[in-house]
Amino acid sequence: MTLLRVEDVHKSYGDEEVLKGVSFEMDRGDVDVLMGPSGSGKSTMLRCINRLTEIDSGGIWLDGTPVYDPETDVNELRQDVGMVFQDFNLFAHLTALENITLGLKRVLGVPEAEATERAADHLAQVGLAAQADSYPAELSGGQQQRVGIARALAMEPKLMLFDEPTSALDPELVGEVVEVMRDLAERGMTMLVVSHEMGFARSAADDIHFLDSGRIVESGPPEQLFQRPEHDRTSEFLTGLQSNGH
Amino acid sequence: MSAEEPSVADEVRTTVTVDTDRPWALAGLVAFWGWLLLRWTNDFLLPDGLAFPSDQSFVPAAPFATAAESLGATAASLGVAGAPLDVVAGLLGFVAGAIPSLPSLARGAWLTIVLTVAGIAFGFVLAVPLSVARVYGGRGLRWLSLSYTELIRGTPLLAQLFVLYFGLPLTQIIREVPGVGVGFVPATAVWVAIIGFTLNSAAYQAEYIRSALESVDAGQLTAARSIGLSKVDGIRYVVLPQGLRYAIPGWSNELVYLIKYSSLAAFITVRELFFQAESIANDTFRYTELFVLAALFYLALVVSASLLMNLVEDRTAIPGIGGKRQA
C-alpha cells in the first residue's frame, strides 16, 4: 500500500532548477535511500516532503493526503513526518529527555508525567537511558543524533526522513547511528534516507534512487544498483564512493 | 550547534566586572545596602512615633566637624610636616559635610531604583515582541519594529522625556487617576518618567535581544517546525529561551546605562538621586561633596547591578549556552 507518492516535483532556487521532475513511490514499511552527488537535489527533495521547502509544481501525497493542498494543515502534516538532520539540531537549551518531551507536550498535548515516561522509553530504545539529563553540548555527535532520532520517533510518525544523518559524524561514531536506523527499519518503519552509507543501503534498503542534477537517473534494489548499474553516471558515482572508503 | 562556536555572550562582555575576591569592595556594598535598607525602613515604614526623624542622619555630623577642625589646626601648627594630617582633616571635613545630606540621598536612591527597575522590566516586556517582530516578522512588522527602534535610538532621551512631560497631555491624564502620589504610589512626574524610560529602554533592549536571536542557529527553528510546532511556538519554546540567554551580557549593559540615565528624570521634576544631590548642593554650596557623594551612590548601584546580572547569567547558564564557565 502506497504511503508516499512523489509526482513530477519541480523546484527552483532563483534561476537554478534543483529538482527537474522527480517521481517515486514508497509503500508502508519501505526503506528507500536517495543517493547522488552533492547539489543533485537530495536534501531539497526530502525537505519538500514535510514542506520545510515548498515545491514549485508537481504533487506529493502522504498516506493519501495531498501535502500541498491548501486545506492541509502543515503542522499536523509534520507530526506524521519525522525528520533527522545532518547537524542533529537538538534543542540546545533542553536536556536529551526534554528534547523529546517538548513535542509531546506542546504539539500532541500529552500530560507532563506521561510525556516524561514516553520520552524515557524512546531514549532507552536508542540506548541513551543514562543520558536523559544531559544537555546536547555534553553528548557526543553519535549520541546527539540518536536523541534526534528518538525525538522524531516520539511523535509516532508514519514516515521518517533522514537527511545525511551520519555525514557530520566522526567515522567511529557512524556505526552506533546506523545500528539504530537498521533496528528501526527492521521494526517496519517507513524510512526515506539521504545517505552515502553503503553498508546501510546494502543491508536495509529496499530501493535506492540515484539522483543527478535534479532527476532520478536510476532506481532499483541495492544489489542491482551496486552490481549492475545501467547508467554510466551511476557507476561512476558509486565507484567514487567506494574508493573513498565508504 | 557545536559548543566551540563563539556566542554573542563572548563577544559583548563589556559590563563592569567586579572582582568578588576583593573583600573590601564587597564589604562596602554590604554596608551601603545595609544602611540604605535601614534608612528606607525607618523613613517609609516605621510610624512617626517610633521612627528616627526622617530628615536627620543616623550619625551626627558635629563630631566629625569638630575633629576635622582640631586636626586642621594641629596640621597648620606643624607647617609642611602637617600635610598628611591636613589630608585626613580634609576627609573628615568631607564626611561632616556629607552626613546631613544622606537621608535625602537615600530617598532619591529609592526613586532611582524604582525608575530603573520599572523601566527595565516594562521595557523588556515590549522589547521581546519588538525583537521577535524584527527577526521573524513579515515585511510590515519588521518595518514597524525597525522604525520604532530607530526613532527612539535616534533622538535624545531628555527630548523624549520633555515631549512626554510637557508636550503631551499625559501629565493631566495621569494626575486625574485616583491614588497617584498617595502613599507608596509614585507621583505624576514619576509615572511619566517610567513611561519614558520604558519606551526608551524597550528600543535598546530590543536591539540587544535581536542580535542575540540572530545568533541562535537557524536549524533550531527548523527542527522545531519539523516536529509540528507552529512558528510562534517554535520561537517561544526553542529560540527565545536560547536567545535570551545570549542576550544577558549586552542586556546587563542596558541596565547599567539606565541606572545612570535615570538621572535625566530630574529635569522633569522627579526627586531622584541626582535631583536630591543637586538641590542640596544649590542650597548649601557644597557642590563637590554632593556630586562626589551622588557619584558614589551611582557607582554602588551600578556595581550591585553588575554583580546581580553576573549571578543571573551563571544561574541560567546551560552547558553550551552562555555563562562564563563554559566560555
Side-chain angles (χ1 to χ4, degrees), chain B residues 157-218:
Chain B
L157 174 55
L158 187 57
Q160 293 162 14
L161 289 177
F162 277 178
V163 167
L164 289 175
Y165 191 68
F166 299 113
L168 297 178
L170 205 59
T171 324
Q172 287 94 306
I173 296 169
I174 294 173
R175 195 170 287 139
E176 297 301 313
V177 178
V180 164
V182 179
F184 269 96
V185 182
T188 309
V190 178
W191 283 109
V192 175
I194 287 176
I195 292 171
F197 292 140
T198 298
L199 295 178
N200 182 275
S201 187
Y204 283 93
Q205 291 186 55
E207 277 299 287
Y208 288 120
I209 298 172
R210 174 189 65 85
S211 74
L213 288 181
E214 282 170 351
S215 74
V216 174
D217 190 276

Short mmCIF file of all heavy atoms in Angstrom, two decimals, chain B residues 157-218:
data_model
loop_
_atom_site.label_atom_id
_atom_site.label_comp_id
_atom_site.label_asym_id
_atom_site.label_seq_id
_atom_site.Cartn_x
_atom_site.Cartn_y
_atom_site.Cartn_z
N LEU B 157 17.18 61.01 24.85
CA LEU B 157 16.25 60.58 25.90
C LEU B 157 15.62 61.78 26.59
O LEU B 157 14.43 61.78 26.90
CB LEU B 157 17.00 59.69 26.91
CG LEU B 157 16.24 59.25 28.16
CD1 LEU B 157 14.94 58.55 27.81
CD2 LEU B 157 17.10 58.30 28.99
N LEU B 158 16.42 62.83 26.82
CA LEU B 158 15.89 64.01 27.51
C LEU B 158 14.76 64.63 26.69
O LEU B 158 13.72 65.02 27.23
CB LEU B 158 17.01 65.03 27.74
CG LEU B 158 16.63 66.24 28.59
CD1 LEU B 158 16.11 65.80 29.96
CD2 LEU B 158 17.82 67.18 28.76
N ALA B 159 14.96 64.68 25.37
CA ALA B 159 13.92 65.23 24.50
C ALA B 159 12.66 64.38 24.59
O ALA B 159 11.54 64.90 24.63
CB ALA B 159 14.42 65.28 23.06
N GLN B 160 12.85 63.05 24.65
CA GLN B 160 11.69 62.16 24.77
C GLN B 160 10.93 62.43 26.07
O GLN B 160 9.70 62.48 26.08
CB GLN B 160 12.14 60.69 24.71
CG GLN B 160 12.71 60.30 23.35
CD GLN B 160 13.53 59.03 23.40
OE1 GLN B 160 13.48 58.29 24.38
NE2 GLN B 160 14.29 58.78 22.34
N LEU B 161 11.69 62.61 27.15
CA LEU B 161 11.04 62.89 28.44
C LEU B 161 10.28 64.22 28.38
O LEU B 161 9.16 64.34 28.89
CB LEU B 161 12.08 62.93 29.56
CG LEU B 161 12.70 61.59 29.95
CD1 LEU B 161 13.77 61.79 31.02
CD2 LEU B 161 11.64 60.63 30.46
N PHE B 162 10.89 65.22 27.75
CA PHE B 162 10.24 66.53 27.64
C PHE B 162 8.95 66.44 26.83
O PHE B 162 7.93 67.03 27.20
CB PHE B 162 11.19 67.56 26.99
CG PHE B 162 12.15 68.15 27.99
CD1 PHE B 162 13.11 69.07 27.57
CD2 PHE B 162 12.10 67.81 29.33
CE1 PHE B 162 14.00 69.63 28.49
CE2 PHE B 162 12.99 68.35 30.25
CZ PHE B 162 13.94 69.27 29.82
N VAL B 163 9.00 65.69 25.73
CA VAL B 163 7.79 65.53 24.91
C VAL B 163 6.69 64.89 25.74
O VAL B 163 5.55 65.33 25.76
CB VAL B 163 8.08 64.69 23.65
CG1 VAL B 163 6.78 64.26 22.98
CG2 VAL B 163 8.95 65.47 22.68
N LEU B 164 7.05 63.84 26.49
CA LEU B 164 6.05 63.15 27.30
C LEU B 164 5.52 64.04 28.41
O LEU B 164 4.33 64.04 28.71
CB LEU B 164 6.66 61.88 27.91
CG LEU B 164 6.95 60.72 26.96
CD1 LEU B 164 7.65 59.60 27.71
CD2 LEU B 164 5.66 60.20 26.34
N TYR B 165 6.42 64.82 29.01
CA TYR B 165 6.03 65.58 30.20
C TYR B 165 5.36 66.90 29.85
O TYR B 165 4.33 67.25 30.41
CB TYR B 165 7.25 65.83 31.07
CG TYR B 165 6.90 66.37 32.44
CD1 TYR B 165 6.23 65.59 33.37
CD2 TYR B 165 7.23 67.67 32.81
CE1 TYR B 165 5.90 66.06 34.61
CE2 TYR B 165 6.91 68.16 34.06
CZ TYR B 165 6.25 67.35 34.96
OH TYR B 165 5.92 67.83 36.20
N PHE B 166 5.97 67.62 28.88
CA PHE B 166 5.45 68.94 28.55
C PHE B 166 4.60 68.94 27.28
O PHE B 166 3.68 69.72 27.14
CB PHE B 166 6.60 69.94 28.36
CG PHE B 166 7.44 70.11 29.58
CD1 PHE B 166 8.76 69.68 29.61
CD2 PHE B 166 6.92 70.69 30.74
CE1 PHE B 166 9.54 69.83 30.74
CE2 PHE B 166 7.69 70.84 31.88
CZ PHE B 166 9.01 70.41 31.88
N GLY B 167 4.96 68.07 26.35
CA GLY B 167 4.35 68.13 25.02
C GLY B 167 3.03 67.41 24.90
O GLY B 167 2.14 67.82 24.16
N LEU B 168 2.85 66.34 25.63
CA LEU B 168 1.64 65.54 25.51
C LEU B 168 0.75 65.77 26.72
O LEU B 168 1.22 66.18 27.78
CB LEU B 168 1.99 64.05 25.41
CG LEU B 168 2.82 63.62 24.20
CD1 LEU B 168 3.12 62.13 24.26
CD2 LEU B 168 2.07 63.95 22.91
N PRO B 169 -0.55 65.51 26.57
CA PRO B 169 -1.45 65.71 27.72
C PRO B 169 -1.35 64.58 28.75
O PRO B 169 -2.24 64.41 29.57
CB PRO B 169 -2.84 65.72 27.06
CG PRO B 169 -2.67 64.95 25.80
CD PRO B 169 -1.25 65.12 25.36
N LEU B 170 -0.23 63.85 28.69
CA LEU B 170 -0.04 62.70 29.56
C LEU B 170 -0.14 63.09 31.04
O LEU B 170 -0.78 62.40 31.85
CB LEU B 170 1.34 62.11 29.27
CG LEU B 170 1.59 60.65 29.59
CD1 LEU B 170 0.61 59.77 28.84
CD2 LEU B 170 3.01 60.26 29.22
N THR B 171 0.50 64.21 31.37
CA THR B 171 0.54 64.65 32.77
C THR B 171 -0.86 64.85 33.33
O THR B 171 -1.19 64.38 34.42
CB THR B 171 1.34 65.96 32.87
OG1 THR B 171 2.40 65.91 31.94
CG2 THR B 171 1.89 66.14 34.25
N GLN B 172 -1.71 65.56 32.54
CA GLN B 172 -3.07 65.81 33.01
C GLN B 172 -3.82 64.50 33.20
O GLN B 172 -4.55 64.33 34.18
CB GLN B 172 -3.85 66.67 31.99
CG GLN B 172 -3.42 68.12 31.98
CD GLN B 172 -2.35 68.38 30.91
OE1 GLN B 172 -1.32 67.71 30.89
NE2 GLN B 172 -2.59 69.35 30.04
N ILE B 173 -3.64 63.58 32.26
CA ILE B 173 -4.37 62.31 32.35
C ILE B 173 -3.97 61.55 33.61
O ILE B 173 -4.82 61.09 34.38
CB ILE B 173 -4.10 61.45 31.10
CG1 ILE B 173 -4.66 62.16 29.85
CG2 ILE B 173 -4.71 60.06 31.25
CD1 ILE B 173 -4.22 61.53 28.54
N ILE B 174 -2.66 61.44 33.84
CA ILE B 174 -2.19 60.66 34.99
C ILE B 174 -2.63 61.32 36.29
O ILE B 174 -3.02 60.65 37.25
CB ILE B 174 -0.66 60.50 34.95
CG1 ILE B 174 -0.26 59.66 33.73
CG2 ILE B 174 -0.15 59.85 36.22
CD1 ILE B 174 1.22 59.60 33.49
N ARG B 175 -2.59 62.66 36.30
CA ARG B 175 -2.94 63.38 37.52
C ARG B 175 -4.38 63.09 37.95
O ARG B 175 -4.71 63.08 39.13
CB ARG B 175 -2.75 64.90 37.29
CG ARG B 175 -2.73 65.69 38.58
CD ARG B 175 -2.31 67.12 38.31
NE ARG B 175 -0.88 67.23 38.01
CZ ARG B 175 -0.37 68.03 37.07
NH1 ARG B 175 -1.17 68.76 36.32
NH2 ARG B 175 0.92 68.09 36.87
N GLU B 176 -5.25 62.80 36.95
CA GLU B 176 -6.66 62.54 37.24
C GLU B 176 -6.88 61.16 37.85
O GLU B 176 -7.92 60.90 38.45
CB GLU B 176 -7.50 62.65 35.96
CG GLU B 176 -7.50 64.02 35.32
CD GLU B 176 -8.04 65.08 36.27
OE1 GLU B 176 -9.09 64.83 36.88
OE2 GLU B 176 -7.40 66.14 36.41
N VAL B 177 -5.91 60.25 37.65
CA VAL B 177 -6.09 58.89 38.15
C VAL B 177 -6.08 58.92 39.68
O VAL B 177 -5.16 59.47 40.29
CB VAL B 177 -4.96 57.96 37.66
CG1 VAL B 177 -5.12 56.56 38.22
CG2 VAL B 177 -4.95 57.92 36.13
N PRO B 178 -7.13 58.37 40.29
CA PRO B 178 -7.17 58.41 41.76
C PRO B 178 -6.02 57.61 42.37
O PRO B 178 -5.65 56.56 41.85
CB PRO B 178 -8.53 57.77 42.09
CG PRO B 178 -8.96 57.06 40.86
CD PRO B 178 -8.31 57.75 39.70
N GLY B 179 -5.46 58.17 43.44
CA GLY B 179 -4.43 57.43 44.16
C GLY B 179 -3.02 57.81 43.77
O GLY B 179 -2.07 57.50 44.49
N VAL B 180 -2.84 58.47 42.63
CA VAL B 180 -1.50 58.82 42.19
C VAL B 180 -0.86 59.81 43.17
O VAL B 180 -1.47 60.83 43.53
CB VAL B 180 -1.52 59.43 40.77
CG1 VAL B 180 -0.21 60.15 40.46
CG2 VAL B 180 -1.78 58.34 39.76
N GLY B 181 0.33 59.48 43.62
CA GLY B 181 1.05 60.35 44.54
C GLY B 181 0.67 60.15 45.98
O GLY B 181 1.21 60.80 46.87
N VAL B 182 -0.24 59.20 46.26
CA VAL B 182 -0.65 58.94 47.64
C VAL B 182 0.13 57.74 48.18
O VAL B 182 0.20 56.71 47.51
CB VAL B 182 -2.17 58.65 47.72
CG1 VAL B 182 -2.57 58.35 49.16
CG2 VAL B 182 -2.96 59.81 47.15
N GLY B 183 0.71 57.90 49.37
CA GLY B 183 1.44 56.79 49.97
C GLY B 183 2.58 56.32 49.09
O GLY B 183 3.40 57.10 48.63
N PHE B 184 2.57 55.00 48.80
CA PHE B 184 3.67 54.44 48.01
C PHE B 184 3.45 54.59 46.50
O PHE B 184 4.32 54.25 45.72
CB PHE B 184 3.87 52.96 48.36
CG PHE B 184 4.85 52.78 49.46
CD1 PHE B 184 4.43 52.64 50.77
CD2 PHE B 184 6.22 52.79 49.19
CE1 PHE B 184 5.34 52.49 51.80
CE2 PHE B 184 7.13 52.65 50.21
CZ PHE B 184 6.69 52.50 51.53
N VAL B 185 2.28 55.06 46.10
CA VAL B 185 2.04 55.24 44.67
C VAL B 185 2.79 56.48 44.20
O VAL B 185 2.58 57.57 44.72
CB VAL B 185 0.54 55.39 44.37
CG1 VAL B 185 0.30 55.52 42.88
CG2 VAL B 185 -0.23 54.20 44.94
N PRO B 186 3.69 56.32 43.21
CA PRO B 186 4.51 57.45 42.79
C PRO B 186 3.69 58.61 42.24
O PRO B 186 2.56 58.41 41.78
CB PRO B 186 5.40 56.85 41.69
CG PRO B 186 5.34 55.39 41.88
CD PRO B 186 4.02 55.09 42.49
N ALA B 187 4.27 59.79 42.28
CA ALA B 187 3.60 60.99 41.79
C ALA B 187 3.61 61.01 40.26
O ALA B 187 4.28 60.21 39.61
CB ALA B 187 4.31 62.23 42.34
N THR B 188 2.86 61.95 39.73
CA THR B 188 2.67 62.04 38.27
C THR B 188 3.98 62.02 37.49
O THR B 188 4.15 61.25 36.54
CB THR B 188 1.90 63.33 37.93
OG1 THR B 188 0.75 63.38 38.76
CG2 THR B 188 1.50 63.34 36.47
N ALA B 189 4.92 62.89 37.90
CA ALA B 189 6.17 63.01 37.15
C ALA B 189 6.91 61.67 37.11
O ALA B 189 7.54 61.33 36.11
CB ALA B 189 7.05 64.09 37.78
N VAL B 190 6.81 60.93 38.22
CA VAL B 190 7.49 59.63 38.27
C VAL B 190 6.88 58.68 37.23
O VAL B 190 7.59 57.96 36.53
CB VAL B 190 7.40 59.02 39.68
CG1 VAL B 190 8.06 57.65 39.71
CG2 VAL B 190 8.04 59.95 40.69
N TRP B 191 5.56 58.72 37.14
CA TRP B 191 4.89 57.86 36.14
C TRP B 191 5.32 58.23 34.74
O TRP B 191 5.58 57.36 33.90
CB TRP B 191 3.36 57.97 36.27
CG TRP B 191 2.84 57.19 37.44
CD1 TRP B 191 2.34 57.70 38.60
CD2 TRP B 191 2.81 55.77 37.58
NE1 TRP B 191 1.98 56.69 39.46
CE2 TRP B 191 2.25 55.49 38.85
CE3 TRP B 191 3.18 54.72 36.75
CZ2 TRP B 191 2.07 54.19 39.31
CZ3 TRP B 191 3.00 53.42 37.20
CH2 TRP B 191 2.45 53.16 38.48
N VAL B 192 5.39 59.53 34.48
CA VAL B 192 5.82 59.98 33.14
C VAL B 192 7.24 59.48 32.87
O VAL B 192 7.55 58.98 31.78
CB VAL B 192 5.74 61.51 33.02
CG1 VAL B 192 6.30 61.96 31.67
CG2 VAL B 192 4.29 61.97 33.17
N ALA B 193 8.10 59.60 33.88
CA ALA B 193 9.48 59.14 33.72
C ALA B 193 9.52 57.63 33.46
O ALA B 193 10.27 57.16 32.59
CB ALA B 193 10.30 59.48 34.96
N ILE B 194 8.70 56.88 34.20
CA ILE B 194 8.67 55.42 33.99
C ILE B 194 8.23 55.09 32.57
O ILE B 194 8.82 54.24 31.90
CB ILE B 194 7.74 54.74 35.03
CG1 ILE B 194 8.41 54.76 36.42
CG2 ILE B 194 7.43 53.30 34.61
CD1 ILE B 194 7.55 54.22 37.53
N ILE B 195 7.20 55.81 32.10
CA ILE B 195 6.74 55.59 30.71
C ILE B 195 7.87 55.91 29.73
O ILE B 195 8.16 55.16 28.80
CB ILE B 195 5.48 56.44 30.42
CG1 ILE B 195 4.31 55.91 31.24
CG2 ILE B 195 5.15 56.42 28.92
CD1 ILE B 195 3.07 56.80 31.20
N GLY B 196 8.53 57.03 29.98
CA GLY B 196 9.63 57.43 29.10
C GLY B 196 10.75 56.42 29.08
O GLY B 196 11.23 56.02 28.02
N PHE B 197 11.17 55.98 30.26
CA PHE B 197 12.28 55.00 30.33
C PHE B 197 11.86 53.66 29.73
O PHE B 197 12.66 52.96 29.11
CB PHE B 197 12.75 54.82 31.77
CG PHE B 197 13.43 56.04 32.32
CD1 PHE B 197 13.22 56.45 33.63
CD2 PHE B 197 14.28 56.80 31.52
CE1 PHE B 197 13.84 57.58 34.13
CE2 PHE B 197 14.90 57.93 32.02
CZ PHE B 197 14.68 58.32 33.32
N THR B 198 10.58 53.31 29.94
CA THR B 198 10.09 52.05 29.36
C THR B 198 10.18 52.10 27.84
O THR B 198 10.73 51.19 27.21
CB THR B 198 8.63 51.80 29.78
OG1 THR B 198 8.57 51.68 31.20
CG2 THR B 198 8.08 50.54 29.14
N LEU B 199 9.64 53.17 27.25
CA LEU B 199 9.63 53.28 25.79
C LEU B 199 11.05 53.33 25.25
O LEU B 199 11.36 52.74 24.22
CB LEU B 199 8.85 54.53 25.36
CG LEU B 199 7.35 54.51 25.71
CD1 LEU B 199 6.69 55.82 25.30
CD2 LEU B 199 6.66 53.32 25.03
N ASN B 200 11.91 54.06 25.95
CA ASN B 200 13.28 54.21 25.50
C ASN B 200 14.06 52.90 25.65
O ASN B 200 14.69 52.42 24.71
CB ASN B 200 13.95 55.32 26.31
CG ASN B 200 15.38 55.57 25.86
OD1 ASN B 200 16.29 54.89 26.32
ND2 ASN B 200 15.57 56.50 24.94
N SER B 201 13.97 52.32 26.83
CA SER B 201 14.73 51.11 27.10
C SER B 201 14.27 49.96 26.22
O SER B 201 15.08 49.11 25.82
CB SER B 201 14.61 50.74 28.58
OG SER B 201 15.46 49.67 28.88
N ALA B 202 12.98 49.94 25.90
CA ALA B 202 12.46 48.86 25.04
C ALA B 202 13.23 48.83 23.72
O ALA B 202 13.59 47.75 23.23
CB ALA B 202 10.97 49.07 24.78
N ALA B 203 13.50 50.01 23.16
CA ALA B 203 14.19 50.06 21.88
C ALA B 203 15.61 49.52 22.00
O ALA B 203 16.07 48.74 21.17
CB ALA B 203 14.21 51.49 21.35
N TYR B 204 16.31 49.94 23.05
CA TYR B 204 17.69 49.47 23.22
C TYR B 204 17.73 47.99 23.55
O TYR B 204 18.54 47.24 23.01
CB TYR B 204 18.39 50.28 24.33
CG TYR B 204 18.80 51.65 23.85
CD1 TYR B 204 17.98 52.74 24.04
CD2 TYR B 204 20.02 51.84 23.20
CE1 TYR B 204 18.34 54.01 23.60
CE2 TYR B 204 20.40 53.09 22.75
CZ TYR B 204 19.56 54.18 22.96
OH TYR B 204 19.93 55.42 22.51
N GLN B 205 16.84 47.56 24.45
CA GLN B 205 16.80 46.13 24.79
C GLN B 205 16.46 45.30 23.57
O GLN B 205 17.00 44.21 23.36
CB GLN B 205 15.78 45.88 25.89
CG GLN B 205 16.18 46.46 27.23
CD GLN B 205 15.18 46.05 28.32
OE1 GLN B 205 14.91 44.88 28.53
NE2 GLN B 205 14.63 47.03 29.02
N ALA B 206 15.55 45.82 22.73
CA ALA B 206 15.16 45.09 21.53
C ALA B 206 16.37 44.86 20.63
O ALA B 206 16.51 43.79 20.02
CB ALA B 206 14.07 45.83 20.77
N GLU B 207 17.26 45.84 20.56
CA GLU B 207 18.47 45.68 19.75
C GLU B 207 19.36 44.57 20.30
O GLU B 207 19.89 43.76 19.56
CB GLU B 207 19.25 47.00 19.70
CG GLU B 207 18.73 47.96 18.65
CD GLU B 207 18.81 47.37 17.24
OE1 GLU B 207 19.92 47.28 16.71
OE2 GLU B 207 17.77 47.00 16.69
N TYR B 208 19.55 44.57 21.62
CA TYR B 208 20.37 43.52 22.22
C TYR B 208 19.75 42.15 21.99
O TYR B 208 20.44 41.18 21.65
CB TYR B 208 20.55 43.76 23.73
CG TYR B 208 21.45 44.91 24.07
CD1 TYR B 208 21.00 45.99 24.79
CD2 TYR B 208 22.79 44.91 23.66
CE1 TYR B 208 21.82 47.05 25.10
CE2 TYR B 208 23.62 45.97 23.96
CZ TYR B 208 23.14 47.04 24.69
OH TYR B 208 23.97 48.09 24.98
N ILE B 209 18.44 42.07 22.19
CA ILE B 209 17.77 40.77 22.05
C ILE B 209 17.75 40.34 20.59
O ILE B 209 17.94 39.17 20.27
CB ILE B 209 16.35 40.82 22.65
CG1 ILE B 209 16.43 41.13 24.14
CG2 ILE B 209 15.61 39.51 22.42
CD1 ILE B 209 15.09 41.40 24.79
N ARG B 210 17.56 41.32 19.68
CA ARG B 210 17.55 40.98 18.26
C ARG B 210 18.87 40.32 17.84
O ARG B 210 18.87 39.27 17.21
CB ARG B 210 17.35 42.24 17.41
CG ARG B 210 17.47 42.00 15.92
CD ARG B 210 17.47 43.30 15.15
NE ARG B 210 18.64 44.12 15.44
CZ ARG B 210 19.83 44.00 14.86
NH1 ARG B 210 20.01 43.08 13.95
NH2 ARG B 210 20.83 44.77 15.19
N SER B 211 19.98 40.95 18.22
CA SER B 211 21.25 40.37 17.78
C SER B 211 21.47 39.00 18.42
O SER B 211 22.06 38.11 17.82
CB SER B 211 22.42 41.32 18.07
OG SER B 211 22.71 41.33 19.43
N ALA B 212 20.94 38.82 19.64
CA ALA B 212 21.06 37.51 20.28
C ALA B 212 20.19 36.48 19.57
O ALA B 212 20.61 35.34 19.36
CB ALA B 212 20.67 37.61 21.75
N LEU B 213 18.99 36.88 19.17
CA LEU B 213 18.10 35.95 18.46
C LEU B 213 18.73 35.53 17.14
O LEU B 213 18.63 34.38 16.72
CB LEU B 213 16.74 36.61 18.18
CG LEU B 213 15.81 36.81 19.36
CD1 LEU B 213 14.51 37.45 18.91
CD2 LEU B 213 15.52 35.49 20.05
N GLU B 214 19.40 36.51 16.50
CA GLU B 214 20.01 36.19 15.21
C GLU B 214 21.18 35.21 15.36
O GLU B 214 21.56 34.54 14.41
CB GLU B 214 20.49 37.48 14.53
CG GLU B 214 19.32 38.21 13.88
CD GLU B 214 19.68 39.60 13.41
OE1 GLU B 214 20.80 40.08 13.72
OE2 GLU B 214 18.84 40.22 12.74
N SER B 215 21.74 35.16 16.56
CA SER B 215 22.86 34.24 16.75
C SER B 215 22.39 32.83 17.09
O SER B 215 23.20 31.91 17.18
CB SER B 215 23.80 34.77 17.84
OG SER B 215 23.21 34.60 19.10
N VAL B 216 21.08 32.65 17.29
CA VAL B 216 20.58 31.28 17.51
C VAL B 216 20.56 30.58 16.15
O VAL B 216 20.03 31.11 15.17
CB VAL B 216 19.16 31.31 18.11
CG1 VAL B 216 18.59 29.90 18.19
CG2 VAL B 216 19.18 31.93 19.50
N ASP B 217 21.15 29.40 16.10
CA ASP B 217 21.26 28.66 14.85
C ASP B 217 19.89 28.47 14.19
O ASP B 217 18.92 28.11 14.85
CB ASP B 217 21.88 27.29 15.16
CG ASP B 217 22.26 26.54 13.91
OD1 ASP B 217 21.37 25.88 13.32
OD2 ASP B 217 23.42 26.64 13.51
N ALA B 218 19.84 28.74 12.88
CA ALA B 218 18.58 28.65 12.16
C ALA B 218 18.00 27.23 12.21
O ALA B 218 16.79 27.03 12.17
CB ALA B 218 18.76 29.07 10.71
#
